[in-house]
Amino acid sequence: MSNVLFESDNLRMRRFLASDKAFVFELLNTPAWKKFIGDRNIHTLVDALNYIQKGPLSLYEKYGFGPWIVELKFTEDVIGMCGLFKRDYLDQPDLGFAFLPGYEGRGLAYEACIASLSYIKSNYTFDKLYAITTDDNVRSRRLLERCGFLNSGTIISTEGEGLLLYNIQLS
């Protein structure tokens, strides 16, 4: 597949496309997304397309990075997203991830994060990355720590929410 950026044993990662709107609609309306990340008011496929255009595609254009679609290598099923985000309140990008409920707890998020970190180290010049999560998102906290991120306290988001801040040295 020509649009694959990198892969791991079971996964392929690629940039978002406008055609991913049905996946975005499904993912952003899962209970876990709404609880831990927040309601993005994605009520239609048009809303989902706007999210892709103003989120991932905008990040690619402005910064040369963004989140990636995570597909199962052997079926090409889209199962999640993993990649880089740029927050106004952080001086470096942060690694973010989210997966459809049927693919949680199978080691796939860990595999995607480790593959992403390897790709980022090889293709970008960041000396460190951040990750953010809520205090009650125990699964994300465990995953970040398993990937080598260290808890460095709390930070207040642009929306005024207190978040746990993690970081990892890349150099």
Side-chain angles (χ1 to χ4, degrees):
M1 227 181 199
S2 61
N3 60 348
V4 172
L5 293 171
F6 58 101
E7 53 185 52
S8 61
D9 289 346
N10 300 296
L11 306 172
R12 288 186 175 145
M13 276 61 104
R14 64 168 173 81
R15 287 183 170 210
F16 275 77
L17 304 168
S19 58
D20 293 314
K21 61 185 179 277
F23 162 74
V24 167
F25 178 84
E26 182 180 2
L27 180 67
L28 274 63
N29 283 297
T30 61
W33 181 287
K34 287 187 174 188
K35 177 179 180 181
F36 297 122
I37 300 172
D39 190 345
R40 298 296 188 252
N41 295 309
I42 306 298
H43 303 294
T44 67
L45 290 178
V46 172
D47 293 340
L49 180 59
N50 286 334
Y51 174 88
I52 292 169
Q53 291 169 336
K54 292 176 182 171
L57 300 184
S58 175
L59 287 169
Y60 302 152
E61 188 175 315
K62 187 171 184 180
Y63 299 108
F65 61 76
W68 304 299
I69 287 285
V70 179
E71 299 176 337
L72 290 176
K73 186 188 278 188
F74 303 106
T75 64
E76 296 183 10
D77 291 341
V78 176
I79 65 166
M81 71 163 77
C82 185
L84 296 172
F85 292 85
K86 181 65 184 107
R87 316 278 179 193
D88 294 339
Y89 54 91
L90 296 174
D91 63 353
Q92 295 285 331
D94 68 285
L95 184 72
F97 47 84
F99 288 80
L100 292 172
Y103 298 95
E104 294 172 342
R106 295 169 48 182
L108 297 170
Y110 174 74
E111 185 176 332
C113 287
I114 292 298
S116 295
L117 287 169
S118 177
Y119 180 79
I120 292 162
K121 286 179 188 177
S122 298
N123 291 278
Y124 299 98
T125 57
F126 308 122
D127 58 341
K128 71 177 176 180
L129 289 179
Y130 293 111
I132 54 173
T133 190
T134 56
D135 188 51
D136 61 341
N137 194 341
V138 175
R139 292 180 83 174
S140 286
R141 289 173 36 207
R142 283 189 190 136
L143 175 58
L144 291 170
E145 291 165 6
R146 188 172 170 215
C147 290
F149 282 83
L150 301 174
N151 185 330
S152 53
T154 58
I155 191 165
I156 304 299
S157 72
T158 307
E159 297 82 23
E161 180 182 17
L163 298 168
L164 294 179
L165 179 66
Y166 287 79
N167 72 75
I168 189 169
Q169 291 299 129
L170 297 179
S171 52

